[in-house]
Amino acid sequence: MTPITPALECRNLWKVYGDNAEERLKQYAPTNAKQAAECSTALSAEGGIIASGHINLQIQPGEFFVLMGLSGSGKSTLMRCMSRLTEPSAGELLLDGADFLSAKPKALRQIRRQKMGMVFQHFGLFPHMTVQDNVAYPLRVQGINPAERQRKAQEMIELVGLEGRENAYPHQLSGGQKQRVGIARSLAVDPELWFLDEPFSALDPLIRWQMQSELLRLQTLFHKTIIFVTHDFMEAVRLADRIAIMKDGQVVQVGTPQDIVLNPATDYVAEFVKEAPRTRIIKVDQLMQAAPAATTTTFNGQALSQDMTLEDALSWSAERAGELPVRDQNGQLIGVITPERLAMALGNTPGKATSNSDRQSAQPPAGVNS
Amino acid sequence: MAKPPTPPTARGTRRSLPPQALPWLGLLALALALPFFMSVLPWLKAWPVDWLLPLADWINAAMDALAPALKPTTRILSATLEWPMLALRDVLQWLPWPVLVLAVLLLAFHASGPKLAVICLLALLYIALSGYWRQAMNTLALVGIAVPLSLLLGLLIGIAAQRTKIGARLVPPALDVMQTMPTFAYLIPLLVLFGFGPVVGLIASAIYACPPMVRNVHLGLSRIPGEIKEAATFAGSSAWQKLFWVELPAAMTQIKVGINQTIMAALSMVIIASVIGGFDDIGWEVLSTMRKARFGESLLAGFVIVLLAVVIDRISAAYASKDSTQRTPLLAGRIGYCGGGLLLLCAAFKLSGFDPSITDPAWAKAVATWLDTRLEGIVVAYGNALTAIKNTLFYYYLLPLRIGFSQAILPFTWGFDFTQLMRWSYAIACGVLALGLSWRSGWRKGLLLAALAYLLYFGLTGMPWLVFGTAIILLAWQAGNLATAVFTGLALTFILVTGMWERAMLSIYLCGAAVILSFLLGSALGVWAATRERASAVIRPIADTFQTIPLFVFLIPVLMFFQIGEFTALLAIIAYAFVPAVRYTENGLRQVSPELLEVATEQGATPWQIFWQIKVPLALPTIMVGLNQTVMYAFAMLVIAALVGTTGLGQQVYLSLSAADTGAGLIAGLSMALLAMVTDRIMQTWARKRFAGMASTAH
């Protein structure tokens, strides 16, 4: 397999705030993790704030990459550095293998017009424009003629399911609808890199769930390179191909949701994992054992698919077992139970972060994956 | 010389005094000692003339040197401004009046609805019928040119203030000075540069009116959520695209508020600038009839100003508060019936042979004469009562504040002599009271009483400058902070060394006297409006209208009943300055969260207790803003009141205006601005300290 150029790569990227913090950082010029840690300690002691420190990340084309962390962990700053809404203090940023930090304002503008889209936490909709004009705005700045941009905007509006609301103003929309406009606008120029900054945090849990599903649907259509910021571990787990967990401006762990759930790198990560619905994250292929060399069993034509979650696999297997008796202390039969019921109950217990209603819809219909 | 009250000393208090009290004690000792030395060292009482800084002369010399060099430029500028102004005037004069009425009606309709259209129709009909149509159009022409200029200026400065570092630094303090600078002071240097003529009023109005626009543009741009700007950046907008397509439109709601305020300020200033004369506008009409004591006519003309202000304000305010996202189609149908109605109206006027371009129509003259005779009748009939009111307030309120009991109590005024015995008794009584109060309720209250007693004994003008200045600086330091104290010290020094101290004291005295009464009246009305819906329904629109009326007009009614003089000025100031006290008191009291009131009621508090223990403390921050505004309004009106006879800085500015004395006028104007700014700073820093963290509980 030939190595693929990452869509976006951060090499030793830093963002620091405070008097002289940037100059002091340049003097330290840390190159490896050890130096970085020393430099961070020194800068903090001088009153500087390390919003992002020594970030090394590679984001592959078509990857759904989630930056996850609590508020103040530096995830939003890191995303803003990646998109150059904020200029990083030091380090390298490569866009499709080319130096992105050296792009002059005009070139940067051109890159943004053609390659990037962004969705904001509080939507960032222009209050004085209709839905249509909001969505068409990125095309308008490029000087595309009105007919063409209206056509494209209409297409996007239909894509996010807002047809009929073209002439509404943002204040007339619900939160979910607003974010649909935000999504439509960010997709209007068909960007390669799609930044989403806590896009669903301001929404109600149920709407959030729907929007996540919607986002997954869009991603199966477009295969964008997505950089998604969230403070919600469940959301990260549900959406991400890979997650980077951040704390105090540092990346603590990077990996697939399964990696992280099975092998949390630090106690901090373990705290999140504890809350996570393991049964819905861990997949069969992580748990399976090697098949015996000479397998003669046919399994009666039945098989679990490789990417089935633990929960689905349990209930799938349980369906195939019969009822079991339940007895009291005296050995008296008081009822029967199926393993399926047990598995279902298991599926409903974990996770405090999502609300009950959310979990109801979170429950995929049994056997969907098989 | 009598011994003033003794200070509350540490002897009388059981608790030890905090360190903040010590400088005050020193000051009190100084204050008590000084009067005994004043005869020996006269400079303690009045700053000697020899020590004055001839700043006024320097400014005048600089002006004289600069003026010839600037003349060509100013002449060109003057011509470029005069041409469109005259053109607009001619167009407005030439325009048949129904056309203008129709245009205004449609605007009103579009901005708000039929109710406003009817109000505007009635207002314009009055203007047409009163015979002041021509003058009103002339005023409109001035406003019509001054406003766009002012808006453009304000927009540019506002953007610069928000965008550039240097702008962010320079603009806010400059705005403070501009808004507290007396209106006439603007005119003086312009007069020197541009010569007498309406263009001066035009330029002065454009400059005077731009601060609200600057502030609102700045505010609007600063308040745009970061994400909206980032979204614009992310779409790849250029700087211009971002500013004109996203930021300015997104800030438009705020900017429209600025537009409304700028229009009203421009109107106000255009009216004030008419003192220069030469344009036959409505302000001039009021002023000249007032000078001739033809109050009937000045009332009729003054009413034209009020109506102009109301029409312009309501239409622009309606546009400002209108949801621009709700597009009303431009009235195809309404044009029909507005036009039809007007046609009918015109036909009726035609038949009756009415022509509004004729000035002084017979009926107006008749009404004016009738008003005059009625007024005269009232003045004659109630002359004694009016004089009694005036004298009572003057002798027992104004005079003690101005020259103190020591000089105000005479057989002629109070009916008896202030004997040596009485003076001593006063001093001792006040001293004892102050001591008792500081022992019972803390040194601050005792000190306040002592200060008040001292002030009332000597009066503001009789107080040694050293005592007054030090007291204010101490106050600025302890109520505010060191920066406020330094600013206060510099401002007072400026006033002292430029020889404006005495006039400044006179201004402070009149302003203070007016503020006290305005605030009492205003907050009482505010409390009433906050507790009674019906009172609010009456008071609110009146207060709103009072705020839109150009300052000038307030002079007419007070001048009708009381002749030129300080008392008349006092009334005029109160008439203008009580409004913010009403508004803020009502708003503050109404903002108190109902939940807290429920808690209090549930715990069995009486309405009286709820009012004093819950509502007032929570509303206090807002009420204090109202007090601050009242002070600022009083300062603004003080200058206008110079027209009806005051003796402070305002008068100096006005005199300098007629003498075209740039130096003296500017210094007096600047002194006044400094006084207003000092008051504002002290009150604001104090409120910030005092009410820090209260905002969250108040709502």
Side-chain angles (χ1 to χ4, degrees):
Chain A
M1 214 168 103
T2 50
I4 308 164
T5 320
L8 193 69
E9 183 175 1
C10 306
R11 286 188 190 156
N12 193 13
L13 199 71
W14 289 76
K15 178 68 193 176
V16 293
Y17 292 101
D19 300 334
N20 299 326
E22 297 214 342
E23 285 149 44
R24 300 286 291 139
L25 176 66
K26 289 208 173 79
Q27 288 165 13
Y28 283 112
T31 50
N32 57 36
K34 190 162 167 285
Q35 288 173 1
E38 285 164 9
C39 170
S40 298
T41 321
L43 278 177
S44 303
E46 289 167 25
I49 293 165
I50 291 116
S52 299
H54 190 60
I55 305 290
N56 290 288
L57 289 174
Q58 290 191 344
I59 295 150
Q60 306 302 335
E63 186 177 26
F64 199 132
F65 192 88
V66 173
L67 290 170
M68 191 263 149
L70 299 181
S71 57
S73 61
K75 54 191 190 307
S76 267
T77 310
L78 178 56
M79 171 189 271
R80 281 177 164 66
C81 284
M82 287 174 167
S83 60
R84 282 190 67 191
L85 278 176
T86 307
E87 290 297 329
S89 307
E92 284 177 85
L93 192 60
L94 304 179
L95 184 69
D96 292 328
D99 183 8
F100 182 39
L101 286 183
S102 64
K104 296 274 179 299
K106 207 169 172 188
L108 178 62
R109 207 150 60 219
Q110 218 51 42
I111 290 171
R112 284 191 174 135
R113 283 179 181 180
Q114 284 155 9
K115 283 195 167 180
M116 290 180 173
M118 182 153 173
V119 180
F120 297 87
Q121 181 177 2
H122 300 291
F123 324 124
L125 299 184
F126 306 130
H128 57 289
M129 293 185 194
T130 59
V131 167
Q132 170 113 40
D133 292 341
N134 260 291
V135 175
Y137 182 80
L139 307 166
R140 184 176 165 201
V141 296
Q142 296 186 26
I144 292 171
N145 68 60
E148 169 65 14
R149 62 185 195 233
Q150 193 186 346
R151 192 193 59 72
K152 183 79 189 168
Q154 191 60 38
E155 190 183 308
M156 288 301 130
I157 289 168
E158 280 165 21
L159 184 72
V160 297
L162 278 180
E163 53 271 53
R165 308 289 329 222
E166 290 85 351
N167 294 319
Y169 283 88
H171 67 91
Q172 297 163 328
L173 300 177
S174 70
Q177 288 174 324
K178 281 183 195 166
Q179 200 52 296
R180 284 170 196 269
V181 178
I183 288 173
R185 182 177 63 186
S186 68
L187 288 176
V189 293
D190 197 15
E192 293 163 21
L193 252 180
W194 197 15
F195 294 92
L196 296 103
D197 182 15
E198 300 213 30
F200 309 140
S201 297
L203 305 179
D204 294 336
L206 195 62
I207 311 288
R208 193 182 309 157
W209 178 265
Q210 288 171 359
M211 294 297 287
Q212 287 166 0
S213 309
E214 186 80 15
L215 185 61
L216 288 171
R217 178 181 71 88
L218 290 174
Q219 178 63 351
T220 55
L221 286 177
F222 296 120
H223 301 291
K224 308 273 180 209
T225 306
I226 294 180
I227 298 166
F228 186 103
V229 168
T230 183
H231 64 256
D232 179 353
F233 187 65
M234 306 303 165
E235 185 172 66
V237 161
R238 181 170 183 221
L239 299 173
D241 291 328
R242 278 197 306 152
I243 303 173
I245 294 187
M246 293 194 67
K247 182 183 184 243
D248 302 334
Q250 320 277 336
V251 173
V252 191
Q253 186 174 9
V254 189
T256 63
Q258 284 199 82
D259 287 342
I260 290 174
V261 170
L262 288 174
N263 307 305
T266 65
D267 291 347
Y268 182 75
V269 180
E271 275 299 304
F272 289 114
V273 171
K274 216 163 63 184
E275 305 272 307
R278 301 167 66 94
T279 54
R280 266 191 263 147
I281 297 163
I282 299 170
K283 290 177 181 164
V284 167
D285 55 358
Q286 286 279 319
L287 299 171
M288 69 185 179
Q289 294 158 313
T295 306
T296 47
T297 342
T298 56
F299 297 104
N300 300 330
Q302 297 183 352
L304 279 78
S305 67
Q306 168 184 1
D307 56 356
M308 212 169 192
T309 62
L310 181 53
E311 186 180 290
D312 294 335
L314 272 175
S315 82
W316 185 90
S317 324
E319 272 172 30
R320 282 145 188 88
E323 290 176 343
L324 297 166
V326 184
R327 295 179 191 282
D328 66 4
Q329 295 101 315
N330 308 321
Q332 204 73 31
L333 179 75
I334 52 166
V336 290
I337 194 158
T338 57
E340 183 189 8
R341 253 185 109 68
L342 292 172
M344 268 173 65
L346 182 68
N348 274 337
T349 33
K352 288 177 196 150
T354 47
S355 80
N356 204 37
S357 58
D358 208 11
R359 231 171 285 125
Q360 292 299 316
S361 39
Q363 201 72 34
V368 148
N369 289 0
S370 51
Chain B
M1 180 114 260
K3 191 176 178 293
T6 44
T9 53
R11 253 184 305 126
T13 60
R14 277 188 206 151
R15 282 154 269 171
S16 61
L17 278 172
Q20 298 103 291
L22 295 178
W24 290 104
L25 279 184
L27 178 63
L28 253 172
L30 177 78
L32 295 179
L34 269 185
F36 297 102
F37 296 102
M38 282 208 294
S39 45
V40 192
L41 303 167
W43 58 268
L44 282 174
K45 188 164 164 47
W47 188 258
V49 182
D50 306 345
W51 299 0
L52 291 181
L53 207 63
L55 198 58
D57 299 340
W58 297 345
I59 294 177
N60 282 337
M63 258 334 236
D64 288 344
L66 272 177
L70 289 175
K71 269 277 155 63
T73 329
T74 58
R75 211 162 286 158
I76 293 171
L77 195 60
S78 181
T80 40
L81 286 175
E82 194 157 17
W83 181 79
M85 185 183 73
L86 294 178
L88 182 60
R89 186 191 67 178
D90 292 343
V91 168
L92 285 172
Q93 298 291 8
W94 166 82
L95 215 58
W97 65 275
V99 175
L100 195 91
V101 174
L102 179 66
V104 172
L105 270 186
L106 286 177
L107 266 180
F109 228 126
H110 184 239
S112 162
K115 207 175 137 200
L116 184 60
V118 169
I119 294 175
C120 289
L121 177 67
L122 292 177
L124 290 174
L125 277 185
Y126 172 83
I127 296 173
L129 285 170
S130 66
Y132 293 114
W133 185 263
R134 185 167 45 85
Q135 286 90 335
M137 286 308 109
N138 285 349
T139 297
L140 211 55
L142 279 169
V143 174
I145 301 296
V147 165
L149 265 179
S150 197
L151 291 180
L152 188 67
L153 203 63
L155 184 69
L156 294 179
I157 300 176
I159 293 173
Q162 209 260 331
R163 286 303 152 88
T164 60
K165 270 189 187 150
I166 192 164
R169 272 224 164 151
L170 290 181
V171 171
L175 288 186
D176 280 350
V177 178
M178 278 174 79
Q179 287 205 311
T180 44
M181 193 84 166
T183 36
F184 289 138
Y186 280 77
L187 296 173
I188 305 168
L190 291 174
L191 270 184
V192 175
L193 288 175
F194 290 88
F196 277 83
V199 173
V200 172
L202 185 73
I203 297 174
S205 305
I207 297 173
Y208 172 78
C210 81
M213 183 67 177
V214 175
R215 274 189 210 278
N216 283 292
V217 167
H218 184 259
L219 191 67
L221 289 178
S222 312
R223 274 194 186 164
I224 299 174
E227 287 193 345
I228 287 182
K229 291 188 231 174
E230 284 182 340
T233 310
F234 227 86
S237 322
S238 67
W240 286 107
Q241 287 172 333
K242 197 169 144 188
L243 181 64
F244 285 103
W245 290 357
V246 175
E247 291 179 88
L248 285 178
M252 207 31 109
T253 317
Q254 193 70 46
I255 294 177
K256 280 192 207 154
V257 173
I259 294 177
N260 169 253
Q261 290 174 359
T262 287
I263 293 175
M264 296 321 290
L267 177 65
S268 190
M269 186 67 192
V270 159
I271 305 275
I272 289 165
S274 63
V275 295
I276 300 171
F279 203 59
D280 189 22
D281 60 331
I282 192 73
W284 177 250
E285 191 64 35
V286 171
L287 193 68
S288 54
T289 49
M290 221 160 44
R291 279 181 183 154
K292 291 174 213 148
R294 284 175 9 208
F295 294 116
E297 279 165 62
S298 43
L299 265 185
L300 290 182
F303 206 53
V304 170
I305 296 183
V306 174
L307 290 175
L308 264 184
V310 168
V311 166
I312 295 175
D313 176 58
R314 293 293 144 87
I315 292 180
S316 60
Y319 271 117
S321 61
K322 198 171 156 184
D323 186 358
S324 60
T325 57
Q326 305 256 292
R327 288 197 179 117
T328 11
L330 199 71
L331 316 162
R334 285 166 193 168
I335 291 184
Y337 72 87
C338 277
L342 267 176
L343 267 179
L344 278 177
L345 207 67
C346 294
F349 277 124
K350 201 85 217 160
L351 287 176
S352 63
F354 169 76
D355 180 4
S357 59
I358 294 173
T359 42
D360 294 331
W363 81 267
K365 235 176 205 161
V367 172
T369 324
W370 179 79
L371 273 174
D372 270 340
T373 43
R374 289 293 304 167
L375 267 174
E376 220 162 286
I378 292 173
V379 172
V380 169
Y382 299 99
N384 289 336
L386 290 175
T387 320
I389 296 174
K390 180 176 167 179
N391 285 349
T392 311
L393 263 171
F394 195 69
Y395 293 151
Y396 299 107
Y397 181 63
L398 289 181
L399 266 187
L401 272 178
R402 180 170 160 182
I403 50 178
F405 290 139
S406 59
Q407 292 173 66
I409 301 181
L410 294 168
F412 168 65
T413 54
W414 287 50
F416 58 84
D417 241 331
F418 203 27
T419 59
Q420 207 68 346
L421 181 68
M422 286 179 186
R423 286 166 199 249
W424 282 102
S425 317
Y426 174 79
I428 292 167
C430 290
V432 169
L433 270 178
L435 277 175
L437 198 62
S438 56
W439 183 72
R440 270 199 54 178
S441 6
W443 66 275
R444 283 175 213 274
K445 291 204 175 126
L447 177 81
L448 192 68
L449 184 78
L452 214 63
Y454 189 81
L455 172 73
L456 284 178
Y457 186 82
F458 285 103
L460 269 164
T461 53
M463 237 181 171
W465 58 266
L466 194 56
V467 173
F468 185 81
T470 320
I472 298 296
I473 293 170
L474 261 178
L475 186 72
W477 177 48
Q478 295 197 349
N481 51 33
L482 190 65
T484 320
V486 170
F487 177 72
T488 306
L490 290 176
L492 292 180
T493 311
F494 175 86
I495 293 172
L496 190 65
V497 301
T498 49
M500 289 292 159
W501 188 266
E502 242 170 284
R503 286 181 177 279
M505 283 298 132
L506 284 168
S507 289
I508 293 175
Y509 133 75
L510 193 58
C511 201
V515 164
I516 294 170
L517 292 182
S518 305
F519 188 67
L520 288 179
L521 174 71
S523 50
L525 283 174
V527 169
W528 190 37
T531 43
R532 297 268 184 283
E533 288 304 324
R534 205 175 285 170
S536 176
V538 176
I539 292 173
R540 256 174 198 262
I542 295 179
D544 287 349
T545 311
F546 267 52
Q547 290 230 298
T548 52
I549 298 176
L551 312 183
F552 209 72
V553 180
F554 290 99
L555 299 179
I556 310 169
V558 288
L559 205 53
M560 284 179 338
F561 295 109
F562 305 97
Q563 293 75 37
I564 278 189
E566 236 161 43
F567 181 72
T568 309
L570 178 81
L571 290 185
I573 298 173
I574 294 173
Y576 182 63
F578 83 98
V579 175
V582 181
R583 286 184 150 188
Y584 283 90
T585 306
E586 184 186 350
N587 284 348
L589 289 173
R590 280 182 183 273
Q591 270 169 13
V592 175
S593 115
E595 200 180 275
L596 291 175
L597 300 183
E598 278 168 13
V599 171
T601 316
E602 192 264 332
Q603 285 166 347
T606 63
W608 187 255
Q609 284 172 325
I610 291 178
F611 181 75
W612 284 109
Q613 294 168 3
I614 312 283
K615 281 190 178 175
V616 170
L618 286 177
L620 207 56
T622 316
I623 296 177
M624 291 312 291
V625 176
L627 176 60
N628 191 9
Q629 289 284 307
T630 297
V631 175
M632 295 303 122
Y633 274 52
F635 270 113
M637 190 65 195
L638 196 56
V639 190
I640 314 297
L643 287 176
V644 295
T646 61
T647 44
L649 292 169
Q651 186 205 28
Q652 176 65 59
V653 178
Y654 187 56
L655 289 179
S656 311
L657 178 65
S658 37
D661 181 351
T662 315
L666 274 187
I667 286 173
L670 198 59
S671 299
M672 199 131 173
L674 286 172
L675 284 184
M677 281 158 73
V678 164
T679 324
D680 183 56
R681 290 274 166 90
I682 295 179
M683 289 176 80
Q684 283 203 17
T685 41
W686 175 77
R688 256 206 301 276
K689 259 173 31 179
R690 173 79 169 67
F691 301 127
M694 240 182 94
S696 50
T697 50
H699 297 271

Coordinates of all heavy atoms in Angstrom, one line a residue, chain B residues 36 122 124 173 189 267 298 342 372 375 418 446 452 482 528 564 600 639 644 697:
Chain B
F36 N -10.5 82.1 58.7 CA -9.9 83.1 59.6 C -8.7 83.8 58.9 O -8.3 84.8 59.3 CB -9.5 82.5 60.9 CG -10.7 82.0 61.7 CD1 -11.0 80.6 61.7 CD2 -11.5 82.8 62.4 CE1 -12.1 80.1 62.4 CE2 -12.6 82.4 63.0 CZ -12.9 81.0 63.1
L122 N -51.7 65.2 11.2 CA -52.2 66.3 12.0 C -51.1 67.3 12.3 O -51.2 68.5 12.2 CB -52.7 65.7 13.4 CG -54.0 64.9 13.3 CD1 -54.4 64.3 14.6 CD2 -55.1 65.8 12.7
L124 N -48.4 67.8 10.4 CA -48.1 68.6 9.3 C -49.1 69.6 8.9 O -48.9 70.7 8.5 CB -47.8 67.7 8.1 CG -46.5 66.9 8.2 CD1 -46.4 65.9 7.1 CD2 -45.3 67.8 8.2
P173 N -12.6 58.9 24.4 CA -12.4 60.1 25.1 C -12.9 61.3 24.3 O -13.5 62.3 24.9 CB -11.0 60.2 25.5 CG -10.3 59.2 24.6 CD -11.3 58.2 24.3
P189 N -15.5 78.6 17.2 CA -14.4 78.5 16.3 C -14.9 78.4 14.8 O -14.2 78.9 13.9 CB -13.6 77.2 16.7 CG -14.5 76.5 17.6 CD -15.5 77.5 18.2
L267 N -31.2 67.9 14.6 CA -32.4 68.8 14.6 C -32.2 69.8 15.8 O -32.4 71.0 15.7 CB -33.7 68.0 14.8 CG -34.9 68.9 14.9 CD1 -35.2 69.7 13.6 CD2 -36.2 68.1 15.2
S298 N -44.3 82.9 19.9 CA -43.2 81.9 20.1 C -43.8 80.6 20.5 O -43.2 79.6 20.2 CB -42.2 82.5 21.1 OG -42.7 83.1 22.1
L342 N -55.8 63.1 0.4 CA -55.1 64.3 0.3 C -55.7 65.2 -0.8 O -55.8 66.4 -0.6 CB -53.6 64.1 0.0 CG -52.7 64.0 1.2 CD1 -51.3 63.7 0.8 CD2 -52.8 65.4 1.9
D372 N -51.5 85.8 23.9 CA -50.7 86.8 24.5 C -51.6 87.5 25.6 O -51.1 87.7 26.7 CB -50.3 87.9 23.5 CG -48.9 87.5 23.0 OD1 -48.2 86.8 23.7 OD2 -48.5 88.0 21.9
L375 N -52.2 85.2 28.5 CA -51.0 85.1 29.3 C -50.9 86.3 30.2 O -50.6 86.1 31.4 CB -49.8 85.0 28.4 CG -49.3 83.6 28.0 CD1 -48.2 83.7 27.0 CD2 -48.9 82.9 29.3
F418 N -28.8 87.7 60.7 CA -28.1 86.5 61.1 C -27.1 87.0 62.2 O -25.9 87.3 61.8 CB -27.4 85.8 59.9 CG -27.1 84.4 60.2 CD1 -27.9 83.6 61.0 CD2 -26.1 83.8 59.5 CE1 -27.6 82.3 61.1 CE2 -25.8 82.4 59.6 CZ -26.6 81.7 60.5
G446 N -21.8 61.4 59.5 CA -21.4 62.6 60.2 C -20.7 63.6 59.3 O -21.0 64.8 59.4
L452 N -22.3 69.4 54.5 CA -23.5 70.1 54.1 C -23.7 71.4 54.9 O -24.0 72.4 54.3 CB -24.7 69.2 54.3 CG -25.8 69.3 53.3 CD1 -25.3 68.9 52.0 CD2 -27.0 68.4 53.8
L482 N -7.7 56.1 42.0 CA -6.7 57.0 41.9 C -6.7 57.8 40.5 O -6.6 59.0 40.4 CB -5.3 56.3 42.0 CG -4.1 57.2 42.1 CD1 -4.2 58.1 43.4 CD2 -2.8 56.5 42.1
W528 N -44.2 56.6 41.1 CA -45.6 56.6 40.8 C -45.9 55.7 39.5 O -46.8 54.9 39.5 CB -46.1 58.0 40.6 CG -47.6 58.1 40.6 CD1 -48.5 57.4 41.3 CD2 -48.4 59.0 39.8 NE1 -49.8 57.8 41.1 CE2 -49.7 58.8 40.1 CE3 -48.0 60.0 38.9 CZ2 -50.8 59.5 39.5 CZ3 -49.1 60.8 38.3 CH2 -50.4 60.5 38.6
I564 N -36.6 87.1 32.8 CA -35.3 86.6 32.6 C -34.6 86.6 34.0 O -34.8 87.5 34.8 CB -34.5 87.5 31.7 CG1 -34.8 87.1 30.3 CG2 -33.0 87.5 31.9 CD1 -34.1 87.7 29.2
A600 N -40.6 38.0 49.4 CA -40.8 38.9 50.5 C -42.3 38.9 50.9 O -42.6 38.9 52.1 CB -40.5 40.3 50.0
V639 N -26.3 75.5 29.3 CA -25.8 76.5 28.3 C -27.0 77.2 27.6 O -26.9 78.4 27.3 CB -25.0 75.7 27.3 CG1 -24.3 76.7 26.4 CG2 -24.0 74.8 28.0
V644 N -31.6 82.8 28.8 CA -32.6 83.5 29.7 C -31.9 84.0 31.0 O -32.6 84.2 32.0 CB -33.8 82.6 30.0 CG1 -34.5 82.3 28.7 CG2 -33.4 81.3 30.7
T697 N -28.3 39.8 40.4 CA -29.4 39.6 41.3 C -30.6 40.5 41.0 O -31.7 40.2 41.3 CB -28.9 39.9 42.8 OG1 -28.3 41.2 42.8 CG2 -28.0 38.8 43.3

